[in-house]
Amino acid sequence: VEARKAYKLLDIMLEIGVPLDGFSLSSLMSFPSTTEQITALWKRIEPELNTDLNPAAYRSIITAYGRVGDASSASVVFEEMVRVCGNRGRSIECWNVLLGALAYRRDGEDGSEMLDVENAAALQMGKPTTGDSTYVNSDGTSNHKIAASDNFTTDNFISLLHRKTFTEASIVILETMRNGTSIQLGTKLMQPPKPNSQTYCLVATTIANSLKQNSELALQLFQEAMDQGVTADGRFLNALLRCFGDDINGALAAWKGGIGAAAAKFEPKPNDNKQQIINRGANLLAAYNGLMHVCGRAIRPDVALRLAYAMQKTAGIEPTETTLNCYFAGKRLALSMTDEFRNFSFSMNQYESLLSVECTKYSSKDKRRAGDKKIRIIL
């Protein structure tokens, strides 16, 4: 419904001659739900723009392709953004958006699902024949699908990602950024930026989403990040721990071996600003939530309950509803992959009940309960 309204508004704007810009395109890119719709919308709006697309507009297109599972087209749009926008399109934000597009997808379990960047490049760079038009209807459907063309040049960047799995592609991009390897784009060389914490977080997310147990790769990624002086952000550590799949023993060993210490080290200090002090514990909590997800994958509510106790006693942080949701998200994923755990024992149900109690205690920071009346019971 909202998409139809947006496309109808676009029709009206074009009808009365309202000038469009990159922000118009960015706003509309949240509505298409297929590759064809995204391409059709982009090719329809581009001729009507009163200026060239800016990096923000290109990033919205890349994100849209990633959201619908077409990381190949996202890679091609990234290559165009770098060529068109020059240095503005080569920032760390732009590279991270491409990695984010890869993180949306999961590799095929048999390893056969790969990027087909060369074919996507042919479709994107193909020119419609004379008389053809590209149009997005008010219901979001397209009247024209971009035709394939042989008139495109496969450059070094496209060949770098072609026929790679999503995990392999993300690692190749990270290594290119970390090593500062120049990439050939037409007649020019592109120097990639150095990776930051978000870069490592997105690569770890892609690895975790492959649904394969990649503990060795996760530990290697963690060590590389620490060697590079990358901040041990809680979201990055959360994604790293989810790479362990259902290997709860391996995840706990990794936590004791350095990940837990790294999370604690990044916590705000007493002399930090007020906002940082208010958010104290958030980094550790995010990392612990990654462990909870592994507990869910392993269907081990008993370990999750012990973790909840340890969070309060050792780290001084309270588990939250998000912590509980991370456990159940891991459990849902495990149940979707096998029927082995369908018959839960009574003791396991008890552990989950106790875990729910620990994670849903009253919190003064919970704004939803700000109006609740508090009663003190003295026994």
Side-chain angles (χ1 to χ4, degrees), residues 262-288:
K265 186 178 180 181
F266 187 54
E267 282 299 311
K269 305 296 184 296
N271 58 345
D272 288 334
N273 63 52
K274 183 178 179 181
Q275 186 59 44
Q276 286 178 309
I277 293 174
I278 291 173
N279 293 331
R280 181 174 294 168
N283 202 64
L284 259 175
L285 181 62
Y288 267 112

Side-chain angles (χ1 to χ4, degrees), residues 74-369:
S75 304
V76 176
V77 177
F78 173 83
E79 186 268 348
E80 179 177 326
M81 173 181 65
V82 172
R83 283 191 292 103
V84 173
C85 300
N87 289 333
R88 293 185 304 143
R90 302 175 187 181
S91 66
I92 186 65
E93 291 81 11
C94 296
W95 283 79
N96 285 345
V97 164
L98 176 59
L99 288 169
L102 290 167
Y104 271 107
R105 287 299 301 270
R106 290 174 177 162
D107 292 345
E109 290 186 31
D110 59 354
S112 62
E113 194 172 352
M114 298 181 179
L115 293 171
D116 190 3
V117 188
E118 291 184 3
N119 183 56
L123 293 173
Q124 290 291 348
M125 297 179 188
K127 303 296 183 181
T129 57
T130 305
D132 285 346
S133 60
T134 302
Y135 186 80
V136 180
N137 299 315
S138 296
D139 61 358
T141 59
S142 61
N143 292 339
H144 171 72
K145 183 177 179 180
I146 300 296
S149 170
D150 293 327
N151 298 322
F152 74 94
T153 303
T154 302
D155 59 28
N156 182 252
F157 178 75
I158 289 177
S159 61
L160 191 69
L161 303 183
H162 186 60
R163 306 304 297 169
K164 298 281 195 308
T165 65
F166 298 102
T167 297
E168 290 170 346
S170 66
I171 292 173
V172 165
I173 292 173
L174 175 62
E175 289 178 348
T176 301
M177 297 171 70
R178 186 161 46 83
N179 298 331
T181 307
S182 297
I183 298 176
Q184 188 76 33
L185 284 175
T187 59
K188 297 181 180 179
L189 286 176
M190 174 180 63
Q191 189 74 23
K194 288 294 182 182
N196 59 12
S197 182
Q198 186 183 8
T199 307
Y200 279 93
C201 177
L202 291 167
V203 173
T205 301
T206 305
I207 297 170
N209 286 346
S210 69
L211 299 185
K212 299 173 183 176
Q213 195 179 105
N214 287 300
S215 53
E216 290 185 10
L217 192 55
L219 290 173
Q220 181 184 343
L221 194 64
F222 172 70
Q223 193 57 55
E224 288 177 0
M226 296 303 100
D227 291 343
Q228 294 287 322
V230 173
T231 302
D233 182 79
R235 292 165 294 185
F236 167 45
L237 301 180
N238 180 297
L240 277 177
L241 290 165
R242 287 189 284 112
C243 294
F244 284 79
D246 60 359
D247 181 12
I248 184 60
N249 292 327
L252 289 172
W255 179 271
K256 296 173 183 176
I259 292 180
K265 186 178 180 181
F266 187 54
E267 282 299 311
K269 305 296 184 296
N271 58 345
D272 288 334
N273 63 52
K274 183 178 179 181
Q275 186 59 44
Q276 286 178 309
I277 293 174
I278 291 173
N279 293 331
R280 181 174 294 168
N283 202 64
L284 259 175
L285 181 62
Y288 267 112
N289 288 346
L291 279 178
M292 283 293 183
H293 188 275
V294 181
C295 290
R297 285 286 303 270
I299 316 291
R300 290 296 302 274
D302 54 326
V303 178
L305 182 61
R306 291 202 298 270
L307 271 176
Y309 291 147
M311 290 169 67
Q312 300 170 70
K313 185 177 180 179
T314 307
I317 56 175
E318 293 284 342
T320 65
E321 287 185 45
T322 302
T323 306
L324 182 65
N325 290 336
C326 287
Y327 167 80
F328 281 121
K331 179 183 174 182
R332 284 194 300 272
L333 190 54
L335 294 177
S336 69
M337 297 171 65
T338 179
D339 293 329
E340 182 182 349
F341 304 105
R342 290 290 176 185
N343 298 319
F344 236 32
S345 67
F346 177 71
S347 61
M348 287 298 185
N349 284 323
Q350 281 187 317
Y351 283 124
E352 283 196 352
S353 299
L354 290 170
L355 179 64
S356 297
V357 171
E358 288 299 318
C359 295
T360 54
K361 290 179 179 178
Y362 175 79
S363 172
S364 58
K365 295 181 181 180
D366 191 343
K367 294 182 179 180
R368 295 172 303 172
R369 299 177 180 177

